[in-house]
Amino acid sequence: IQERIDFVIFAGDIYDNEERNLKAQLKFKAEMERLENYSIPVYLIHGNHDYMNGNYFDISLPANVHLYGREVEVKQFIKENDATTVNLYGFSYDKRHIHDRVIQEYKKADDADYHIGILHGNLDGESAHGNYAPFTRSELLSKQFDYWALGHIHKRMEILQEPPAIYPGCLQGRNKKETGEKGFYLVSMSGSDTSLEFVP
């Protein structure tokens, strides 16, 4: 709200299904409603910890939250003041373990100014987490998107620079090995230029 951003992306694992909590879900809903009050849309996918068929309390999110289904789909954002269009591609886990190379289902549609991939999956070669929806750097590059918002790996990692492909990491350490600064990325795109700011 302070930064007057155009939209927010959550790349999965908002909750942990094994430690579900009604208070947490209600708090998240309230914050999404705050964003709705400022006309800020949210693009959200489910990951392996908050997969769609998990045991959750049935709490609906406001209309500004755009949820993705099991199949890769595209949702389009249109900026009001200048009609800039952004295609956001993503899918949600419908179960805890997805081992398919879902990256192959991402298809660029040439009807937008910018293309952003939202992917909850494991970079090939990383062994700290489950090898779910695996992908390689070259597979990301082959899609010719402008930015990749990644989820699943808890450690903050910038795995590509052009186009940027970012694991922002967990906001909260999940065990004693997950120390250090936690935060999110503020991403600005203008023409062919993309700037990244990590905000602790």
Side-chain angles (χ1 to χ4, degrees):
I1 294 167
Q2 179 179 329
E3 296 285 347
R4 298 184 178 183
I5 60 173
D6 292 307
F7 53 82
V8 178
I9 295 173
F10 290 105
D13 289 356
I14 301 300
Y15 314 109
D16 187 338
N17 184 46
E18 295 177 358
E19 300 174 8
R20 63 189 182 279
N21 182 300
L22 178 59
K23 184 177 179 181
Q25 284 186 248
L26 290 172
K27 176 67 173 174
F28 186 74
K29 178 180 181 178
E31 294 304 308
M32 296 305 98
E33 289 170 343
R34 278 185 69 202
L35 294 177
E36 185 179 39
N37 290 337
Y38 285 86
S39 300
I40 298 175
V42 176
Y43 296 89
L44 187 154
I45 65 174
H46 290 274
N48 61 294
H49 282 285
D50 63 352
Y51 54 95
M52 293 186 296
N53 294 333
N55 296 317
Y56 303 103
F57 299 97
D58 188 16
I59 296 174
S60 60
L61 293 172
N64 64 315
V65 179
H66 303 279
L67 295 170
Y68 288 76
R70 169 61 186 92
E71 304 298 325
V72 175
E73 58 185 308
V74 58
K75 298 181 184 293
Q76 190 170 80
F77 167 83
I78 302 176
K79 192 168 182 174
E80 287 187 8
N81 64 345
D82 65 3
T84 298
T85 56
V86 182
N87 278 355
L88 297 104
Y89 307 76
F91 81 98
S92 287
Y93 284 49
D94 60 346
K95 56 188 177 182
R96 179 78 187 249
H97 305 130
I98 293 182
H99 298 288
D100 299 333
R101 298 193 81 84
V102 186
I103 182 64
Q104 297 172 357
E105 298 172 21
Y106 284 72
K107 309 290 183 186
K108 184 177 179 180
D110 293 323
D111 61 347
D113 298 304
Y114 298 99
H115 301 267
I116 296 176
I118 311 171
L119 176 59
H120 192 93
N122 195 61
L123 175 65
D124 275 356
E126 292 294 323
S127 59
H129 302 283
N131 195 32
Y132 307 141
F135 62 90
T136 63
R137 289 177 176 87
S138 62
E139 284 175 318
L140 296 183
L141 287 167
S142 72
K143 302 301 175 179
Q144 299 184 331
F145 286 4
D146 298 293
Y147 181 76
W148 283 96
L150 305 173
H152 182 53
I153 291 180
H154 296 183
K155 181 181 178 182
R156 176 163 57 99
M157 298 170 60
E158 298 182 10
I159 66 169
L160 285 175
Q161 293 184 342
E162 291 186 16
I166 309 295
Y167 282 108
C170 271
L171 289 175
Q172 173 182 332
R174 298 280 295 156
N175 59 57
K176 63 184 179 180
K177 294 180 180 179
E178 294 184 0
T179 59
E181 282 188 324
K182 310 294 180 187
F184 64 93
Y185 276 82
L186 188 62
V187 181
S188 299
M189 306 176 82
S190 177
S192 60
D193 296 326
T194 301
S195 64
L196 308 170
E197 179 187 356
F198 175 70
V199 182

